[in-house]
Amino acid sequence: QDNRISIWSAGDFGNAGLNGEYHGEPHFLCDIQHNGDVMDMQFLDQERIVVASSTGTVTIFRHHQNNQTLSDDHRWEKAHYHVDQDTSCGGAACTGVVCNNPEIVTVGEDGRINLFRADQKDAVRTIDNADSSTLHAVTFLRTTEILTVNSIGQLKIWDLRQQRNEPSQIFSLAGDRVPLHCVDRHPNQQHIVATGGQDGMLSIWDIRQGTMPVSLLNAHEAEMWEVHFHPSDPDHLFTCSEDGSLWHWDTSTNVSDKPSFLHQGGRSTAYLSHSTINQSVVSAWLSSDPTKDRMEITNLIPNQTLSVNSLDVLGPCLVYGTDAEAIYVNRQLFA
């Protein structure tokens, strides 16, 4: 029940050594108690972190860098709940949070979507019955639009300017309603979206057309917990799974020319194309014929056995956390 939010310094990134290696071990700075499991968290700005709890509460913590402490800045008690907000056991897990300062969007097991502003006590907007199933993750598509994924294999777009409580578009996996656990949008081409789910498949969607994924890629052997495009180099995508693997998907066109920085590649990729796109300039993620030399897949932790639950990418750094109660920092991403 009692958990903690911790701030770590990952060493001095300014001083790379002669071989490009970084000095300084990650070291612990401060922590604070957190009630319930931490389901998701995101920086709102340089000092504030928004945290989603399994109790349904959403909290903003402030990191005071002058004296390295954390404080509880603001909280929305039971932002997510099953029966009513006032019953003691009525909280429903808040499963996902996404920030676009000062706005914060949360989703939960109760199928509810909340829009908060960091400076306001009450929710700006709540869509109570947004979904009849659990919403597992949320991300911004544009400043006024969000994407959610749910436990019956649907991707939905919500326009927050509209007062209607219905999604503006619904996309779904064909056939089996496999729960989707994670979603990320391509940083430059906002119509390209990646999702991952319970069957370990990576789905790529083009939200301009159709209602089904453009491609389904065989990936992990168990649930995919997180998917992230590299924020500044989106030809690269990262996925992690319950099966203990963390894959780097590289679609940059000159893959065949460059040496692989790790050769324990993933197994061969099955590719199902639902549409052929006739455009002169097309992202590699949407290409209808990703020939073998167009995509390289590398398992960055080939001998891991425990679930890799979360990952994030910043510049040349990959950070991930596992069921081994350990956090890893890989600083040689594009060595």
Side-chain angles (χ1 to χ4, degrees), residues 217-268:
L217 296 144
N218 272 334
H220 304 279
E221 290 169 11
E223 292 91 342
M224 186 189 296
W225 291 130
E226 194 104 62
V227 58
H228 269 297
F229 285 102
H230 191 290
S232 55
D233 196 353
D235 283 347
H236 301 268
L237 179 99
F238 299 88
T239 58
C240 64
S241 168
E242 181 71 28
D243 67 10
S245 60
L246 193 163
W247 284 19
H248 171 196
W249 306 70
D250 181 354
T251 64
S252 49
T253 42
N254 58 345
V255 163
S256 48
D257 314 338
K258 65 179 184 190
S260 166
F261 56 92
L262 269 178
H263 284 288
Q264 306 93 326
R267 56 190 189 284
S268 63

Side-chain angles (χ1 to χ4, degrees), residues 10-29:
D12 185 356
F13 292 107
N15 301 323
L18 291 172
N19 302 326
E21 80 282 8
Y22 294 94
H23 301 296
E25 286 298 305
H27 63 276
F28 171 80
L29 296 177

Side-chain angles (χ1 to χ4, degrees), residues 131-137 147-158 167 169-183 193-205 207 210-216 224 274:
D131 213 300
S132 56
S133 61
T134 296
L135 289 168
H136 281 142
L147 289 166
T148 59
V149 291
N150 69 12
S151 59
I152 54 170
Q154 293 173 321
L155 172 69
K156 297 183 181 181
I157 299 179
W158 305 82
Q169 280 177 279
I170 300 178
F171 302 83
S172 57
L173 295 169
D176 301 338
R177 299 200 154 217
V178 177
L180 292 173
H181 291 304
C182 51
V183 57
V193 173
T195 64
Q198 191 163 310
D199 57 1
M201 298 280 276
L202 173 65
S203 305
I204 305 293
W205 312 70
I207 60 171
T211 56
M212 288 161 62
V214 176
S215 59
L216 293 168
M224 186 189 296
H274 291 301

